[in-house]
């Protein structure tokens, strides 16, 4: 007979696969874009399909997105250029859309080649044309077109210095957008007056559209003034290449053009749509959980914090469901997403999801019918070949019986070795998409498992 | 006009007061105990009121519980002895029940006097008698009756050594129960064959009845063997007083009696009922939130983890409600409880609830209509005169404008000074009860606040 834990684990894995499938670039585009006769239906919007259709974009998942667009529009596509990671480029099956293989996370000359060609295509597009833009995680590095006088290596240098100094993604983008001819709404400006339809897969916690791939088609609320302040704040201004300082100084004096701002008429021709994201995946997982007969809720897609501490809250929720049926009576599923962090103190190997799962295993020891899984939707958790891990109330005990002390492995940040020895890895390979991490709690009802 | 934040803050404070009121010892007893003619109704149970009724107990909230019992049973009480903190004893208005004022958290001679008198009273009670036992937090220290040959100071010494070595409450109680004539079910054994009705206020996360005041009326699953292992594990065995070692060795050889175990017929005469606890308060708060027109859920009463990291999860839930209406559409209330911890790194003054609130303020900066409050239900957060604090999306900005950097104060564990300067303390004085901490998230709907 299947144990309650087996049932719970199976459900958790099913839900994770559902979440990843909802973020699959091909599926996500197909769910949001279709041709009805001569009409193009995109989300809530219906357009006459024009004679000229261009496809542009950049990102790790953009290849799959472009394949879906080609499968829908085929020869109706006039031309296109996308930029994807070098290693993925040869695998794509595209007839109308050209592919540039570029480097990431550090942009290279191919990123600039892609940036230039995409800007040229956008400029070519006439008023009656449609530009379909496809952006996903990694797009910032894979596509760039530096402002005049600034080299891509100089932008890289400044970006790395900022990241090492601890700036956040919003601050980093403020600077990058003000050194770019394609980011921060510039792509939309170049395409104007063509209509722009931008489909995005969000790898940014909170799904701020101006942050995904640095928002090439999104109004930019940041300024040269803000870029200057960020560089000053982190002590980078003085060390920055003179070309960067000079360009930003020109901007401060009004001699270089500001990025297109909210309210710019350019954006009346632009429609931005997120087709896959953490919250969209969590919603799909919730639907699936309900289909499977569970009470289900999405708690948050904005999870942050130290993985082992977040695990305590996750475990506390699982145990409360078991004990009092709050917030949902079992059989119950609680879904979370986001991106936790790990402060490395030990010498082991692991990732934030495996560490969260290991810490949760310690907290739920002895609980019946509970499974907790944590995975990276891209299929890669830290520098390991696992997407994440799954645990239940028996995991910690089973580990100790096998001579593996869960607390010691957690102390050593050695979650990968823990699961290699004890079992519980979720291994999916690269999934071809990234909408951050999923954390799934499944709590079975006694009777349910016993009847199974 | 009231701002959205004002509305949210007011609701959060109302709910906290509701939670504390639900845990008020007098109210809690009155909700669960009443006289109907000659019948005593206790929870789901109805008993004929016998001629002999004894009242015993110990704990910081036990005075209020005894007052409620006297107000219900009056002269029907034959006799009684309770033990409460020295400073509270003179304030109690009791006619039939005698009060011993004892010391805590370190037990003293008064604790032993109380323990002996309570055991004597229990032994006096005949088969037809009813013993009403009233336990609450602090009961372990306020009432003790050491086994023969062991002194109270020796038990204290061992307890302190164990706590300093990092043992948990379950391990500590395993040892204490095996050195006591009143804990670990012994009180029920002494009272047998009298009927025992034990009402408890739980200050233990998870409400394990054998842990509240060390479970004088609850079957004890732990053993001499377990007590020995705990003392060995923390390296205390060798240093323990010889009287303690000798008694436990006698127990290991079967020469000293084991604590009453689950299945012992003694417990057929015992009814244990938790009348106030974190989850009972959270449930009352949820009802109140619904009355006030909010969507509401209880997430967990088992919250643990580093306060500043837990705050990130709390903030992530608040922001998701605002953004997507998950897990509940606004106006929404999410309720949590338990006990977080603070790893002190700075030199400031604060408590776990104030630290959680300060960290949450940083995380929710700029969110509209959100309030987050964290308080200790006993009215004391850390070594401060505040019960906790409340924050909203403007707190962090307002602080900086006043020259108070929230991040710096958090780094210095200086949450008390932060709220003293910026405002946001919740100050309640001693509440006279303790069911751990409450964390309340309130998220207003735009229209609601604007209409207000």
């Amino acid at each position: 007979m299947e144990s309650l834990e087996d049932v719970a684990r199976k459900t958790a894995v099913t839900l994770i696969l559902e979440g990843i499938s909802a973020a699959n670039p091909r599926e996500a585009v197909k769910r949001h874009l279709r041709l009805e006769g001569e009409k193009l239906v995109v989300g809530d919007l219906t357009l006459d399909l024009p004679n000229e259709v261009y496809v542009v974009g950049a990102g790790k998942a953009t290849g799959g997105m472009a394949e879906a667009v080609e499968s829908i529009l085929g020869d109706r596509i006039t031309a296109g250029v996308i930029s994807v990671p070098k290693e993925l480029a040869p695998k794509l099956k595209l007839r109308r859309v050209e592919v540039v293989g570029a480097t990431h996370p550090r942009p290279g000359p191919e990123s600039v080649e892609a940036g230039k060609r995409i800007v040229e295509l956008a400029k070519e597009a006439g008023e009656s044309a449609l530009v379909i833009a496809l952006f996903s995680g990694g797009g910032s590095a894979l596509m760039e077109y530096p402002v005049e006088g600034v080299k891509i290596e100089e932008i890289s240098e400044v970006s790395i210095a900022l990241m090492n100094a601890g700036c956040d993604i919003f601050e980093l983008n403020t600077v990058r957008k003000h050194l770019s001819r394609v980011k921060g709404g510039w792509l939309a400006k170049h395409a104007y007056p063509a209509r722009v339809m931008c489909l995005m897969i969000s790898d940014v916690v909170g799904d701020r559209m101006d942050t995904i791939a640095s928002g090439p088609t999104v109004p930019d609320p940041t300024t040269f003034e803000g870029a200057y302040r960020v560089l000053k704040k982190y002590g980078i201004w003085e060390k920055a290449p003179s070309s960067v300082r000079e360009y930003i100084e020109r901007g401060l004096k009004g001699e270089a053009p500001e990025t297109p701002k909210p309210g710019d008429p350019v954006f009346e021709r632009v429609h931005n749509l997120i087709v896959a994201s953490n919250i969209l995946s969590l919603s799909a997982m919730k639907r699936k959980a309900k289909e499977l007969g569970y009470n289900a809720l999405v708690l948050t897609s904005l999870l942050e914090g130290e993985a082992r501490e977040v695990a305590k809250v996750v475990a506390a929720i699982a145990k409360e469901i078991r004990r009092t049926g709050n917030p949902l009576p079992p059989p119950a599923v609680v879904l979370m997403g986001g991106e936790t962090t790990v402060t490395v103190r030990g010498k082991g190997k692991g990732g934030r999801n495996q560490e969260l799962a290991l810490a949760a295993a310690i907290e739920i020891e002895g609980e019946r019918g509970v499974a907790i899984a944590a995975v990276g939707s891209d299929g890669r958790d830290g520098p390991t070949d696992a997407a994440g891990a799954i645990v239940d109330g028996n995991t910690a005990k089973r580990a100790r019986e096998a001579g593996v002390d869960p607390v010691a492995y957690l102390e050593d940040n050695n979650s990968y070795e823990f699961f290699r020895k004890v079992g519980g890895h979720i291994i999916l390979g690269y999934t071809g998409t990234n909408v951050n991490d999923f954390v799934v709690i499944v709590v079975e009802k006694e009777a349910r498992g016993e009847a199974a």
Side-chain angles (χ1 to χ4, degrees), chain A:
Chain A
M1 200 185 83
E2 238 181 354
S3 75
L4 272 181
E5 283 67 35
D6 292 339
V7 178
R9 291 171 81 109
K10 204 181 280 181
T11 298
V13 171
T14 301
L15 295 178
I16 281 161
L17 295 177
E18 181 74 15
I20 289 170
S21 155
N24 176 286
R26 289 165 197 81
E27 300 306 314
V29 168
K30 286 181 185 166
R31 251 196 328 274
H32 289 87
L33 185 78
R34 66 180 193 278
L35 203 55
E36 286 187 0
E38 284 305 294
K39 304 275 187 191
L40 191 64
V41 182
V42 194
D44 301 334
L45 202 75
T46 303
L47 306 171
D48 290 318
L49 188 67
N51 287 327
E52 271 181 87
V53 179
Y54 300 95
V55 176
V56 299
K60 291 191 251 178
T62 294
M65 298 173 83
E67 286 184 344
V69 173
E70 273 210 358
S71 79
I72 295 163
L73 297 181
D75 292 344
R76 312 293 297 259
I77 298 170
T78 312
V81 180
I82 61 168
S83 179
V84 303
K86 258 195 165 82
E87 62 279 15
L88 296 182
K91 296 180 191 163
L92 294 177
K93 292 192 180 70
L94 289 165
R95 292 183 310 111
R96 311 289 289 191
V97 178
E98 290 179 62
V99 178
V100 175
T103 53
H104 74 103
R106 205 181 169 126
E110 302 88 351
S111 310
V112 179
E113 185 208 328
K116 276 187 187 167
R117 289 181 61 189
I118 286 168
V119 166
E120 279 159 18
L121 214 58
K123 284 183 171 170
E124 243 173 62
E127 186 168 1
S128 65
L130 172 67
V131 177
I132 297 178
L134 306 170
F135 290 109
S136 56
S140 270
L142 294 164
M143 176 188 76
E144 186 50 289
Y145 187 2
V147 292
E148 221 183 329
V150 176
K151 295 197 189 77
I152 183 73
E153 297 78 17
E154 295 169 334
I155 298 180
S156 275
E157 192 186 308
V158 169
S159 301
I160 290 166
L162 278 170
M163 283 187 282
N164 289 344
C167 90
D168 68 29
I169 183 73
F170 304 106
E171 293 172 321
L172 178 63
N173 280 345
T174 301
V175 174
R176 292 201 291 205
K177 287 171 174 183
H178 286 88
L179 298 171
S180 176
R181 289 194 246 199
V182 65
K183 292 170 178 170
W186 279 116
L187 180 63
K189 188 95 175 181
H190 296 310
Y192 188 79
R195 191 185 271 277
V196 175
M197 174 65 53
C198 179
L199 308 183
M200 288 176 262
I201 294 182
S202 169
D203 69 332
V204 181
V205 173
D207 306 332
R208 269 185 61 168
M209 292 203 287
D210 66 335
T211 305
I212 301 164
S214 303
T217 63
V218 184
D220 177 31
T222 73
T223 60
F224 276 109
E225 183 64 40
Y228 173 75
R229 270 203 309 265
V230 170
L231 290 166
K232 274 287 194 184
K233 173 175 171 187
Y234 293 101
I236 312 296
W237 177 253
E238 287 73 15
K239 302 179 221 161
S242 59
S243 62
V244 167
R245 282 207 310 271
E246 278 162 25
Y247 186 79
I248 289 177
E249 275 168 353
R250 282 177 54 204
L252 289 171
K253 283 185 265 178
E255 292 167 12
E258 252 302 350
T259 49
K261 292 279 162 290
D264 191 315
V266 158
F267 297 107
E268 289 166 19
R269 301 287 290 163
V270 178
H271 190 64
N272 290 308
L273 184 67
I274 292 176
V275 296
S277 68
N278 194 270
I279 188 75
L280 290 173
S281 281
L282 293 180
S283 302
M285 292 158 83
K286 179 181 161 182
R287 277 194 300 277
K288 183 75 180 179
K290 287 188 163 184
E291 265 174 48
L292 294 173
Y294 290 83
N295 301 308
L297 66 77
V298 171
L299 188 58
T300 185
S301 68
L302 307 172
L303 207 55
E304 287 180 344
E306 184 71 24
R308 65 181 64 197
E309 302 299 321
V310 173
K312 291 179 188 168
V313 181
V314 170
I317 296 168
K319 289 192 275 189
E320 191 68 56
I321 293 171
R322 195 95 194 98
R323 213 168 65 99
T324 68
N326 283 297
L328 295 169
V333 166
V334 174
L335 300 159
M336 281 165 276
E339 202 175 294
T340 63
T341 44
V342 170
T343 306
V344 177
R345 293 191 200 89
K347 299 194 158 122
K349 184 177 174 184
R352 56 184 183 257
N353 289 290
Q354 291 164 76
E355 178 141 325
L356 193 158
L358 169 53
I362 295 166
E363 298 292 328
I364 61 167
E365 179 163 4
E367 292 291 324
R368 284 207 69 203
V370 173
I372 292 173
V375 299
S377 61
D378 61 354
R380 281 293 177 277
D381 186 39
T384 79
D385 62 359
I390 184 164
V391 299
D392 62 39
N394 301 325
T395 301
K397 186 165 178 237
R398 219 175 41 233
R400 276 196 307 273
E401 284 167 2
V404 175
D405 176 8
V407 174
Y409 275 72
L410 179 60
E411 281 311 299
D412 197 31
N413 300 114
N414 204 5
S415 53
Y416 181 78
E417 283 304 313
F418 177 88
F419 289 110
R420 206 181 57 75
K421 288 186 174 160
V422 175
H425 268 141
I426 297 179
I427 297 187
L428 303 167
Y430 278 114
T431 62
T433 194
N434 184 14
V435 292
N436 303 115
D437 303 338
F438 304 135
V439 179
V440 178
I441 301 171
V442 181
V443 182
E444 298 295 333
K445 200 169 155 179
E446 291 286 336
R448 182 185 173 95
E450 282 161 11

